[in-house]
Amino acid sequence: MNLIGNICSSLFPGLSGDTKNREAERAIDRMIRFPLLTLIKSSIVWLIIATVFGLIASIKLHSPGFLADCSVLTYGKVEPIFWNTLVYGWLFNAGLGCGVFLLSRLGGNSAGLGVFLTISVVLWNTAVMAGVVGIMWGEQLPFQWLEFPAFVAPILFAAFIGIGLWSLLTFRVRIHRSSYASQWWILAAVFSFAWIYTAAQVMLVCVPAQGAIQALVNSWYVENVFGLFLAPLTFATLYYLVPKTLGTAIIGYKYSGWAFWSWILFASFSGVANLANGPVPAWVSSLGVMATFGLLIPTTTISIQLLSSFFSRFSVIWDSATARYLFAGSIVFLLVMYLKIFGALRGSLDITQFSVYDSGVAQLALFGFAGMTFTGAMYFMLPRLLNKELPSTTIVDLQFWSHLIGLIFVSIGLLSGGAQQGELMNGSTADVLVVVNTMRSSYFLTTIGKAFFFIGALGNGVTYIWIMLSTRKSEENTTSLIKEAPELEYNAS
Amino acid sequence: MNRGPFIFLGVFLIVATSWTFVLFKANQEVGQLSAVLDEDLGKYVPGNTVGAAAHGKEVYQELGCISCHTQQVRVASGMDIERGWGERQSVARDYINDHKALIGNVRIGPDLSNVGARQKDRNWHLLHLYNPQINSKGSNMPAYPFLFDVREIVGEPSSHALDLPPAFSPGEGLEVIPTRKAESLASYMLSLKVDYELKEAPKSNEIMAEELAVALEGAQ
């Protein structure tokens, strides 16, 4: 068995050749290699777990008899486990992994403290695991994306503070004193999550507000996890990797500051629109709708920047898996934002409220926008960290296409199905059983999509195991395997 | 933009403003409510969920029923009133006794704010939980067989046993007994009814229009 030797060789590449080549980058990679691999590995494991639970939940919607005898796998438990593993398992690990890599690379230095960071990451994942077991055990809280039992929250928070402090330290010790848009976005994400998580936990669990306010806090939190944490990390990744993979600076980069502040401002107020006509004051949802419209400004700016950069070097996306993922992420971003903005209109809200439409938009945002971008970034980071080539582009392609096909099926199932469901539920007095029957084919489409997600996730797992276990080829022993574009490392002030 | 503290301060101010304007202000407005005396009923409303129903509420939370069921009635949009899911708008005061509010925002199934008024038969709820296909054929609600014990009939059949149609019977000589969780959940379902009025809670667009017309006449 030479596998152990291969893993060691993956973790500790001893490279020959011109050692001056990429010296600075390799020094940074050495410092963050182990914690970053832990983040990537955890994200892949959670992705597989999340897609399995998503598949089970989706099957249960059209075939309620599936696994019905099993009390820990009833729909009301599987569904929150799916969302929580998706968000806190897959996307947090993947997104923070991108954050760790970008902050170190862009600053030209890392805080070191690899053990501290690794412990924080392991603690985070242990807490997520405890949360999943807690939900199965029957301890779930009735708050969306906060279903983990109350005792998990302090552990999650402590772990996050660990990762957050490491990020701040790394930003502080940077060698290149100027900063790039990606760094602002990562810092904003880290600061914001600490605030919104604290606010939500205090108002929901520690000193619970009255019932109707809880719904408001919950809705505010969910929208902000996307708008102030996941989306900023995704923007950070796109701003860094789009120039890297295309070999050109972001077109219209000077508008990035404007896009940054307007996004943070409007995103923080948006999203309580889904409480329209509920038991909260009417001005709350009006404010949310207005802020959602404000998001048109940063959405347009960022989309123009990214897409015009892509279209200036379009052929690259056929050659590079990373570029393809980033392009898909950018397109889905535009789509998601338009669905969100026009979905907040009174007319569409009257139809889609309480239907699976919202779930469709959220899955498009998580799997498509954030998920595809982070996956692309992972395929950029892995070869550099290990100084190895991706073992099989076929599997990477397979993962990309099954992810994309899954996305199409899930979107059609939940968006058009949700519109149909909402129309019947909110616009007619048709019996609920009739609505359920009408929805059966939409739920079935969603299941097909979820199955594709699962296949894609497996592909991701296979690639990771393969690249770690494969024997190092001769060209992978040299420093010239990776061709960097260092002039794009810190190209803006 | 080159300094961390600047970004930190900017983001902090924006998030704090959002918190103040959305959560804090709403909490000031409708987050400090208390029960009011309903003179017709001669008691303070809304009342607390007590006894078996309170335990049932915990079971509802534990099983994640909120993934498919809301507990809020809207009058300004949707068909909630026409569907018979309630007679008036749900308002903040309706939820003041909820330590953990089960308001929900997805309707794979019907709203349950008034399910206790719609379906008063305890046995119906127990059968529905054991297997929804018994009395809601075609539903995609899962069955909860693990909330019931299937056991051999020893001597006389138990008076608690479910009265199952033959197609759903577990077999000759066997009976299905609800566990405490199932009984509590059924009690909670029966307790879900908004049978009091609140002056801030509009009934429906039609009634609101009528009231407005009366008020305008009075003003003239």
Side-chain angles (χ1 to χ4, degrees), chain B residues 75 81 87-91 198-204 208:
Chain B
V75 297
I81 307 287
E87 290 176 348
R88 63 163 176 85
Q89 169 77 30
S90 300
V91 292
L198 292 173
K199 64 176 187 307
E200 72 264 34
K203 284 196 155 167
S204 70
M208 274 158 70

Side-chain angles (χ1 to χ4, degrees), chain B residues 16-53:
Chain B
T17 314
S18 162
W19 180 83
T20 315
F21 273 89
V22 182
L23 302 188
F24 183 76
K25 187 160 178 284
N27 195 34
Q28 289 286 314
E29 233 169 80
V30 295
Q32 324 282 336
L33 304 172
S34 49
V36 290
L37 180 65
D38 186 318
E39 306 208 331
D40 298 336
L41 298 173
K43 63 175 186 185
Y44 280 88
V45 292
N48 267 315
T49 308
V50 291

Side-chain angles (χ1 to χ4, degrees), chain A residues 174 210 214 268 277 353-354, chain B residues 2 18 33 74 77 101 107:
Chain A
R174 70 193 189 280
Q210 283 189 349
Q214 291 174 14
S268 69
N277 303 322
Q353 198 172 22
F354 302 144
Chain B
N2 285 338
S18 162
L33 304 172
R74 306 159 301 164
S77 67
R107 284 179 179 169

Side-chain angles (χ1 to χ4, degrees), chain B residues 7-167:
Chain B
I7 296 172
F8 173 80
L9 204 65
V11 170
F12 173 72
L13 283 177
I14 290 175
V15 176
T17 314
S18 162
W19 180 83
T20 315
F21 273 89
V22 182
L23 302 188
F24 183 76
K25 187 160 178 284
N27 195 34
Q28 289 286 314
E29 233 169 80
V30 295
Q32 324 282 336
L33 304 172
S34 49
V36 290
L37 180 65
D38 186 318
E39 306 208 331
D40 298 336
L41 298 173
K43 63 175 186 185
Y44 280 88
V45 292
N48 267 315
T49 308
V50 291
H55 178 235
K57 193 175 181 179
E58 283 171 20
V59 180
Y60 186 95
Q61 184 183 323
E62 170 188 331
L63 293 175
C65 305
I66 198 168
S67 292
C68 298
H69 296 285
T70 54
Q71 291 187 22
Q72 54 171 316
V73 177
R74 306 159 301 164
V75 297
S77 67
M79 290 283 180
D80 301 0
I81 307 287
E82 290 82 349
R83 284 176 174 278
W85 286 349
E87 290 176 348
R88 63 163 176 85
Q89 169 77 30
S90 300
V91 292
R93 202 184 299 274
D94 289 320
Y95 303 96
I96 57 172
N97 294 322
D98 290 341
H99 188 62
K100 297 269 182 288
L102 300 165
I103 297 177
N105 59 11
V106 185
R107 284 179 179 169
I108 308 285
D111 184 87
L112 297 180
S113 321
N114 285 287
V115 69
R118 286 205 293 281
Q119 194 50 260
K120 299 188 183 75
D121 179 10
R122 181 183 189 83
N123 208 35
W124 186 93
H125 287 290
L126 287 170
L127 289 174
H128 194 64
L129 290 171
Y130 179 66
N131 191 340
Q133 304 303 327
I134 297 173
N135 44 23
S136 304
K137 191 159 170 46
S139 167
N140 63 347
M141 174 170 151
Y144 294 92
F146 46 87
L147 293 180
F148 296 82
D149 290 329
V150 177
R151 66 182 194 196
E152 223 170 302
I153 302 174
V154 184
E156 285 287 294
S158 163
S159 61
H160 293 290
L162 289 188
D163 185 16
L164 289 167

Side-chain angles (χ1 to χ4, degrees), chain A residues 164-212:
Chain A
L165 280 179
W166 186 93
S167 309
L168 294 189
L169 278 176
T170 294
F171 183 71
R172 220 183 132 72
V173 299
R174 70 193 189 280
I175 293 168
H176 312 297
R177 295 313 293 178
S178 62
S179 69
Y180 184 63
S182 297
Q183 288 160 301
W184 321 332
W185 284 110
I186 296 167
L187 291 185
V190 170
F191 295 148
S192 308
F193 184 73
W195 295 130
I196 58 175
Y197 195 67
T198 312
Q201 287 295 336
V202 167
M203 294 185 82
L204 293 176
V205 180
C206 307
V207 196
Q210 283 189 349

Side-chain angles (χ1 to χ4, degrees), chain A residues 452-467:
Chain A
F452 274 105
F453 280 158
F454 175 62
I455 295 169
L458 282 184
N460 203 340
V462 169
T463 303
Y464 183 82
I465 294 172
W466 194 348
I467 198 172

Side-chain angles (χ1 to χ4, degrees), chain A residues 21 91 112 148 157 190 220 447:
Chain A
N21 190 13
L91 294 174
F148 285 163
F157 187 74
V190 170
W220 181 83
T447 298

